[in-house]
Amino acid sequence: MTDSSDIDSGTHVHADVDVDTDTARKLVFSDVRDVRLDSVSTEELGPNDVIVETTVSAISPGTELLLYHGEVPEQMAADETLETLDGDLSYPTTYGYAAVGDVVKAGKEATDRVDERVFAFHPHQNRFCVDSDNLISIPDGLDDETASLLPTAETATNFLLDGSPRVGERVVVFGAGVIGLCTIQLLANFPISELVVIEPIPGRRELARTFGADRALDPSACDDIFNDHDPPGADLVYEVSGQPAALNAAIDVVGYDGRIIVGSWYGNKPTELELGGDFHRDRITLTSSQVSTINPDLRGRWNTDRRLSVAIDQLNAIDVDALITDRVSFDDASSAYRRLTEVPESTLQVLLTY
């Protein structure tokens, strides 16, 4: 783990340390590149509510960095499918959806959950009150750090459900960040003919090969990678780099009647698609994939509970230790976001510890 104190301070964090067990601290995105810890009163327990003491939470290097950099569209609504997120994402706002902790107190209808280890889709906060129905029990075989990557595994699972990789297909993944690497490792278990990863950071390319990629290339070398095949081009492309320019590259790589699954959220970064060339005649399918919902074509047999159960199983197939590069104290949360911004070549998954 790299010591986050090595990063020069370019942001500020203001911690209001509390000693009252009825108060907690929450992380607030207060402005561009500015986060702080605010005191907040834990809500009065309802009959089915519990108090969770957080042990670890995972930072989403996609959405949270968009918030940190001020790249979320103004008045963008929070994810309405998560009851712990409300309002919009304008400053100041709380965010996060990967908290693991222990139930330390419960209302009269949830006393059976006291002392249980749980996962919650909850913003970064050292202690919080939540309806017990919104908690996920952590299996004994998963440690807290692994469990905190459950949303990442669920997102990767959703990508595979949306893309439907088929036996013998040629698959390309743009982006070997945390979600890209999880997607790569799950794809490597499929009987596809070749898995190629496009990633600018050398260390991430090497990790992609370790995770099962047949080839991992710099974006400058991705032209014509399947042009000598019959039929030419990739069958399936995943764009999970977070970089709008990669979407045009994905269109160039995919073949006739190919599929592109767009897992990136670009925020308010401009995206200029070049649709006047091969795209117009090649019947390319562009599909947005977002974990809040299930593919409409699958809803007859799939729901979010089933997908989540599969994602928990998939966590056992993902090399979580290779993904976690930094563990940062919640009190020093601002350094975690600086590190993700300033040294991405050596930073993947950052965990906040409590």
Side-chain angles (χ1 to χ4, degrees):
M1 184 192 80
T2 303
D3 187 345
S4 59
S5 64
D6 292 339
I7 306 299
D8 292 334
S9 177
T11 58
H12 307 283
V13 62
H14 319 284
D16 298 327
V17 178
D18 63 85
V19 294
D20 187 345
T21 57
D22 291 330
T23 62
R25 286 176 295 155
K26 64 180 180 180
L27 187 147
V28 178
F29 293 87
S30 49
D31 207 333
V32 177
R33 295 200 177 198
D34 189 54
V35 298
R36 66 172 186 253
L37 301 184
D38 282 353
S39 292
V40 58
S41 176
T42 53
E43 301 174 26
E44 183 176 347
L45 281 176
N48 201 47
D49 291 341
V50 298
I51 299 292
V52 176
E53 194 85 26
T54 314
T55 57
V56 64
S57 62
I59 291 177
S60 161
T63 302
E64 291 190 52
L65 282 192
L66 288 177
L67 271 173
Y68 183 66
H69 294 147
E71 294 176 335
V72 173
E74 293 184 9
Q75 308 305 315
M76 179 77 180
D79 191 337
E80 296 178 354
T81 64
L82 300 180
E83 294 187 15
T84 56
L85 299 178
D86 55 22
D88 59 44
L89 298 179
S90 58
Y91 299 124
T93 189
T94 59
Y95 201 77
Y97 47 74
V100 174
D102 301 302
V103 176
V104 296
K105 190 176 180 180
K108 61 182 181 181
E109 295 178 6
T111 55
D112 59 324
R113 306 207 70 165
V114 173
D115 295 330
E116 186 177 349
R117 246 179 2 119
V118 293
F119 173 93
F121 292 98
H122 197 282
H124 305 294
Q125 190 167 315
N126 70 325
R127 186 185 309 110
F128 55 89
C129 177
V130 65
D131 188 315
S132 66
D133 290 341
N134 293 327
L135 296 176
I136 298 166
S137 299
I138 298 175
D140 291 338
L142 293 183
D143 59 57
D144 288 8
E145 290 189 350
T146 300
S148 72
L149 267 66
L150 177 56
T152 303
E154 186 178 22
T155 298
T157 300
N158 199 60
F159 289 160
L160 269 62
L161 288 172
D162 284 347
S164 299
R166 298 162 186 152
V167 61
E169 286 195 319
R170 300 187 288 272
V171 182
V172 176
V173 176
F174 281 82
V178 176
I179 288 178
L181 286 165
C182 285
T183 304
I184 290 161
Q185 196 155 10
L186 298 188
L187 284 167
N189 294 321
F190 276 69
I192 56 180
S193 68
E194 189 168 6
L195 176 58
V196 178
V197 174
I198 311 299
E199 167 59 48
I201 297 176
R204 295 187 181 187
R205 291 200 297 269
E206 182 58 35
L207 198 52
R209 297 185 193 101
T210 301
F211 274 33
D214 297 296
R215 288 188 282 167
L217 308 173
D218 184 84
S220 63
C222 74
D223 294 341
D224 306 327
I225 56 175
F226 289 128
N227 277 7
D228 60 347
H229 290 60
D230 184 22
D235 301 290
L236 172 62
V237 177
Y238 288 95
E239 201 303 277
V240 292
S241 72
Q243 302 303 317
L247 192 49
N248 282 318
I251 292 172
D252 291 339
V253 165
V254 77
Y256 178 86
D257 197 29
R259 307 167 335 263
I260 300 175
I261 305 299
V262 185
S264 294
W265 182 32
Y266 305 123
N268 59 17
K269 289 184 276 189
T271 306
E272 297 184 4
L273 286 181
E274 300 172 4
L275 303 180
D278 292 338
F279 179 85
H280 181 62
R281 294 180 176 176
D282 279 0
R283 293 185 174 270
I284 296 168
T285 301
L286 278 173
T287 301
S288 65
S289 179
Q290 210 282 332
V291 74
S292 297
T293 56
I294 297 287
N295 183 335
D297 291 340
L298 301 178
R299 291 178 190 171
R301 296 191 57 81
W302 285 84
N303 57 27
T304 53
D305 288 341
R306 182 180 181 184
R307 186 186 60 195
L308 186 67
S309 177
V310 171
I312 291 173
D313 289 339
Q314 295 308 306
L315 273 175
N316 294 314
I318 294 171
D319 187 355
V320 170
D321 290 338
L323 297 176
I324 299 172
T325 56
D326 297 78
R327 298 165 179 83
V328 177
S329 169
F330 183 56
D331 294 334
D332 194 28
S334 61
S335 70
Y337 295 93
R338 292 199 304 274
R339 181 159 191 82
L340 283 163
T341 297
E342 297 172 15
V343 284
E345 65 276 4
S346 59
T347 309
L348 276 169
Q349 180 62 66
V350 180
L351 302 182
L352 297 178
T353 60
Y354 297 75

